[in-house]
Amino acid sequence: MDLLPEKEYRLRLPVDAEFYLGRIFPIDWRVRAGGWGGYSFNLPKETNMNNWDAGLSASIVAEVGSFDFSIGYIRGLINRNPAAFASSFTNMILASIRLRIGD
């Protein structure tokens, strides 16, 4: 029997606050922190993983002109694996570059 690879698509709703740390010319430094909740769509649906997830996030942002550069950490608070001997928490390190238009 051939097994199909499992794919997971996530819908996540973040709620963040941003705090201005200061300016070291030409970079503005900010910190973002908040929480998030979401739902995962697993295809094919053959696992008994919990689809609901929620957690905390934090990131540091460097802003130069119309560009943002950020690196952050996301930690899930819900164990998505129902098995008694295993755990499956969301745990991610993210990096992003963003261009703001109309700034």
Side-chain angles (χ1 to χ4, degrees):
M1 179 175 136
D2 291 332
L3 294 176
L4 295 175
E6 183 175 329
K7 293 184 180 182
E8 183 174 65
Y9 300 95
R10 291 189 171 193
L11 178 62
R12 189 168 69 102
L13 178 65
V15 177
D16 292 334
E18 186 173 275
F19 305 99
Y20 181 74
L21 295 177
R23 181 180 185 115
I24 300 174
F25 188 77
I27 303 170
D28 286 327
W29 292 95
R30 302 175 191 279
V31 171
R32 289 186 190 134
W36 55 272
Y39 188 81
S40 297
F41 303 93
N42 297 325
L43 298 174
K45 182 62 178 156
E46 295 181 3
T47 63
N48 22 338
M49 296 283 282
N50 183 3
N51 288 345
W52 292 101
D53 200 4
L56 300 173
S57 64
S59 62
I60 188 156
V61 180
E63 182 181 309
V64 180
S66 294
F67 289 94
D68 277 353
F69 305 93
S70 71
I71 188 161
Y73 178 68
I74 292 178
R75 175 66 177 164
L77 299 176
I78 296 175
N79 185 1
R80 296 189 54 219
N81 193 338
F85 58 88
S87 64
S88 180
F89 292 93
T90 300
N91 194 21
M92 291 186 271
I93 295 176
L94 303 173
S96 70
I97 299 173
R98 181 173 65 165
L99 172 64
R100 295 184 318 277
I101 298 174
D103 196 357

